[in-house]
Amino acid sequence: MASLVMGLTLVGSPGWSLAQQDAPARTRFSLLENDEAWQLLPRENPPLPSWARALMRPLPRTTAAMLELDYLHRVNNSLGPILAGRLRWAAADAMDCDYARRYAEADLRRSGLGDGDLKQLAGDLTDLSEPDRAAVAFAGQLTRAGHEVADNQVAELLAWFGPEKVVAIVHTVACANFQNRIALALGVEVESGGPLPPIELRLDAKKRL
C-alpha cells in the first residue's frame, strides 16, 4: 500500500508528465556509424597468398571459402600435418606445380621435418613406413592418371588406414589438385617472403559480400 501511495504521489506531483517519463536521454557526444567505428579499430590484416589476391575482386566469397578450405587441410586435416603435407607435396610434384610444392614443404618444415626428409620425398621413399609410402605413391598416381588406380591398391590402403582415413586421403589429394590447377592457371609465384602460413578465416554464411 505504501508503494502504491508513493507512486500516486509522484504521478500527481507538479511538473511530472508521461512525456517526460518516456523522453529518451540526449546523447552528449556525436555517434559514429557502426562501420565507420570498426574502421578506426586496429585489426590484423595478415598477408594473403598471391592466388587469393588475384581472385578476391571478381570472386570475394569464393576466395574466402577457399581460404577456409586451405586452413582446414593445412591445419586441421584428420590425417595429421605430416602425412597430409606429404600427400599435398606428391600431388604438386605430379603436376609440376612449384607454388604448391613450396607451400607443402613449408608446412612440413613447420611440422618438424628437415632437409633430409624433404629430399626423400623427391627421391627414394624406402625410409617411409610402408603405409605412408603407399599413400604418397597413391597421391601421385591419382593426380597423374586416376583412372589407372586398381582395386587392390585401394584395398591395401583400406587395410592400413581404414575407411575414414582413406576417404580423407582421397579428399586431401582432390583438394590439392584443385588448388594446384588454380595456381597453375593464374601463373602465381611464391610470395617474396616465402610461403605464407595458413589464415584462419570465418565466413559469415548469411552475409552477402
Side-chain angles (χ1 to χ4, degrees):
M1 179 65 70
S3 59
L4 177 60
V5 172
M6 179 66 72
L8 292 173
T9 302
L10 289 173
V11 171
S13 299
W16 175 272
S17 70
L18 290 176
Q20 286 177 311
Q21 183 183 18
D22 296 336
R26 291 186 178 181
T27 303
R28 296 181 179 178
F29 303 95
S30 61
L31 301 181
L32 293 176
E33 293 296 328
N34 191 66
D35 290 344
E36 186 181 4
W38 274 111
Q39 290 174 4
L40 296 175
L41 287 176
R43 290 181 295 172
E44 290 186 2
N45 289 319
L48 290 166
S50 302
W51 62 263
R53 288 187 284 123
L55 296 175
M56 191 64 77
R57 187 183 301 277
L59 297 167
R61 194 172 187 82
T62 299
T63 305
M66 289 168 62
L67 285 168
E68 280 189 294
L69 187 63
D70 181 69
Y71 185 88
L72 172 67
H73 277 276
R74 295 171 65 190
V75 177
N76 293 327
N77 196 304
S78 61
L79 298 173
I82 293 179
L83 180 55
R86 284 172 172 160
L87 297 178
R88 289 171 42 232
W89 190 96
D93 191 57
M95 294 187 67
D96 195 24
C97 180
D98 184 63
Y99 184 89
R101 191 162 44 212
R102 293 270 305 278
Y103 262 79
E105 289 175 0
D107 287 348
L108 287 169
R109 288 184 189 279
R110 275 192 290 270
S111 298
L113 297 192
D115 291 338
D117 300 302
L118 297 177
K119 287 180 180 178
Q120 187 183 59
L121 273 175
D124 188 2
L125 299 178
T126 53
D127 287 343
L128 293 182
S129 68
E130 193 173 0
D132 281 13
R133 188 165 63 247
V136 169
F138 174 77
Q141 184 177 356
L142 190 60
T143 299
R144 287 187 299 269
H147 63 283
E148 294 180 1
V149 174
D151 289 345
N152 65 310
Q153 291 176 277
V154 178
E156 187 179 50
L157 290 175
L158 285 168
W160 275 318
F161 293 100
E164 289 186 5
K165 285 198 172 182
V166 170
V167 170
I169 288 170
V170 173
H171 191 199
T172 298
V173 176
C175 180
N177 275 277
F178 166 69
Q179 292 176 317
N180 297 345
R181 283 168 170 78
I182 293 292
L184 289 171
L186 294 173
V188 292
E189 297 180 353
V190 175
E191 295 73 22
S192 59
L196 301 170
I199 299 173
E200 187 172 11
L201 179 70
R202 299 291 182 184
L203 181 63
D204 186 350
K206 298 179 180 180
K207 186 175 180 180
R208 296 177 61 88
L209 296 180

